[in-house]
């Protein structure tokens, strides 16, 4: 695997395989076909549980902060600044965040990041109790966004240091399952706590506690040796290493491009309130069911994938999954039947789960350890900002041309992007097993 010009890995002792439970010998063939393969590694279990707590707290806090600020101000603009306060640090810090994740211990980067999340959540507790100024609330949110900008790439890269390569795909499948469960349980739990305690303060307190639990779990996680990059005399842009590496690794670039445009153009979930009220006429209860549909589909698909062997035709599967995502988006946009709309949203979630698992596994397998932080940071930037920009694009088109045309056009655009990616990057069409080496251009 070729590094960007000017970089060489720091020599390190040969990494030892991480501790594994429940089996007496490390049979790599059996692990590859084991639905619990990644879960048999003690440190992966600890990392997954801690990450699940952190994601759950994040989802709960999102509901709580939105409820509190709108309850205090009645302003939609104030809510808009919530997302902005959290996404700006990601945009500004993704280059140094990736560099830090590669140059320093990823475990401790995540520990520090979660500690900052906990302190910021404590700040929100105090501000909520005292009805503090909005500017300080936004400052806490920006601190959380900045901490997540650093801990996100480090956490995803850390997965490779607690398992063996044979179970990367299985690990990403379980990780995606936990993310989806958190996305369903988090808002529900946050709303329940707001109703139970008549305010958002205790949600912030629980988010602080969950972040601290993650820190405690990380402290007992044992990781393999991390290979770190160093600069040669000719190197001048270590921070840009992730971008350069992606430009040289066509399969990764194609996979991230597919996901980026699918999120940008597929605006079905963003416009759900409009569809629920004006087209499907199902009210707030129906809206809640529709909002859960994609996560339900994603969870079912992820659990299904844990019981099947690794993808043998990963490139074709990814292209078909994203194309199916576009077609399901079109059908949802044209549907006037609640259950058909629910089914299409579940299909969207299931196909997006396939895309996410293949992409995240490719990032782990096709990126050298000394580059995983920077590549992960670029990946996080593209996917994270595409959610915000995709929501804006869908709302803008819906404002001028209506929600149906916005969603249908987005679905058609997604299919066209799949066709273009298949033509521009034939490596993606030919990709078989994710684990097979890819020849990068010189």
């Amino acid at each position: 695997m070729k590094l960007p010009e000017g970089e060489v890995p720091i020599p390190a002792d040969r990494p030892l395989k991480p501790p594994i439970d429940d089996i007496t010998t490390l049979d790599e063939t059996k692990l590859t076909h084991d639905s619990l393969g990644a879960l048999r590694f003690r440190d992966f279990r600890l990392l997954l549980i801690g990450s699940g707590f952190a994601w759950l707290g994040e989802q709960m806090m999102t509901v709580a902060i939105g409820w509190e600020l709108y309850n205090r101000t009645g302003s939609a603009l104030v809510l808009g600044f919530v997302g902005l306060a959290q996404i700006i640090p990601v945009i500004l810090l993704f280059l140094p965040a990736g560099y830090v994740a590669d140059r320093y211990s990823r475990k401790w980067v995540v520990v520090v990041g979660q500690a900052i999340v906990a302190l910021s959540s404590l700040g929100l507790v105090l501000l909520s109790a005292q009805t503090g100024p909005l500017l300080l609330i936004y400052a806490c949110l920006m601190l959380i966004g900045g901490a997540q900008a650093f801990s996100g790439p480090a956490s995803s890269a850390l997965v490779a240091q607690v398992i063996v390569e044979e179970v990367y795909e299985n690990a990403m499948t379980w990780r995606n399952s936990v993310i989806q469960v958190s996305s369903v349980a988090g808002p529900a739990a946050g709303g329940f706590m707001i109703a139970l305690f008549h305010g958002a303060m205790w949600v912030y307190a629980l988010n602080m506690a969950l972040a601290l639990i993650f820190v405690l779990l990380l402290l007992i996680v044992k990781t393999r040796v991390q290979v770190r990059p160093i600069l040669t005399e000719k190197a001048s842009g270590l921070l840009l290493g992730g971008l350069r590496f992606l430009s040289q690794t066509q399969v990764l670039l194609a996979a991230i491009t597919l996901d980026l445009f699918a999120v940008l153009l597929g605006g079905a979930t963003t416009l759900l309130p409009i569809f629920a009220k004006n087209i499907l006429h199902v009210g707030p209860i129906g809206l809640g069911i529709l909002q859960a549909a994609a996560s339900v589909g994603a969870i079912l698909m992820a659990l299904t994938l844990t019981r099947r062997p690794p993808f043998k035709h990963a490139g074709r599967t990814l292209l078909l999954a994203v194309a199916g995502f576009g077609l399901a988006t079109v059908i949802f946009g044209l549907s006037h039947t609640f259950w058909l709309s629910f089914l299409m949203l579940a299909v969207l979630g299931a196909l997006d789960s396939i895309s996410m698992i293949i992409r995240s596994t490719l990032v782990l397998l096709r990126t050298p350890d000394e580059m995983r932080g920077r590549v992960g940071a670029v990946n996080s930037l593209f996917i994270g900002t595409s959610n915000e920009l995709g929501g804006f694009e869908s709302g803008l088109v819906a404002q001028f041309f209506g929600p149906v045309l916005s969603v249908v056009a987005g679905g058609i655009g997604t299919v066209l992007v799949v066709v273009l990616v298949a033509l521009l990057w034939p490596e993606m069409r030919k990709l078989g097993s994710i684990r097979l080496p890819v020849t990068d251009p010189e």
Side-chain angles (χ1 to χ4, degrees), residues 161-181:
Q161 293 177 241
V162 297
I163 55 175
V164 293
E165 182 179 305
E166 289 73 23
V167 296
Y168 280 179
E169 186 176 322
N170 183 258
M172 291 298 101
T173 303
W174 282 110
R175 201 167 186 264
N176 183 54
S177 299
V178 173
I179 290 174
Q180 295 301 333
V181 169

Side-chain angles (χ1 to χ4, degrees), residues 123-142:
L124 290 174
V125 170
L126 299 176
L127 290 169
S128 180
Q130 301 297 322
T131 316
L134 293 181
L135 285 179
L136 289 181
I137 292 176
Y138 287 134
C140 288
L141 293 176
M142 291 192 72

Side-chain angles (χ1 to χ4, degrees), residues 116 207 231 239 395:
I116 293 174
N207 186 47
L231 286 174
L239 288 176

Side-chain angles (χ1 to χ4, degrees), residues 356-374:
M356 178 179 178
I357 290 167
I358 293 177
R359 173 175 48 81
S360 56
T361 306
L362 277 171
V363 169
L364 277 185
L365 280 167
R366 303 305 171 92
T367 308
D369 188 44
E370 55 270 20
M371 291 292 304
R372 284 187 176 125
R374 283 167 289 173

Side-chain angles (χ1 to χ4, degrees), residues 23-78:
I23 57 176
T24 56
T25 59
L26 185 61
D27 189 324
E28 297 176 352
T29 302
K30 289 183 178 179
L31 276 178
T32 303
H33 295 83
D34 185 359
S35 63
L36 301 176
L39 297 181
R40 298 192 187 279
F41 292 83
R42 164 192 174 272
D43 296 304
F44 176 74
R45 294 199 302 268
L46 293 173
L47 181 61
L48 185 65
I49 292 170
S51 299
F53 282 143
W55 292 325
L56 181 67
E58 178 184 345
Q59 293 292 330
M60 293 174 64
M61 192 196 70
T62 299
V63 171
I65 197 74
W67 181 88
E68 178 170 10
L69 292 187
Y70 190 74
N71 194 48
R72 282 175 55 179
T73 66
S75 170
L77 183 62
V78 167

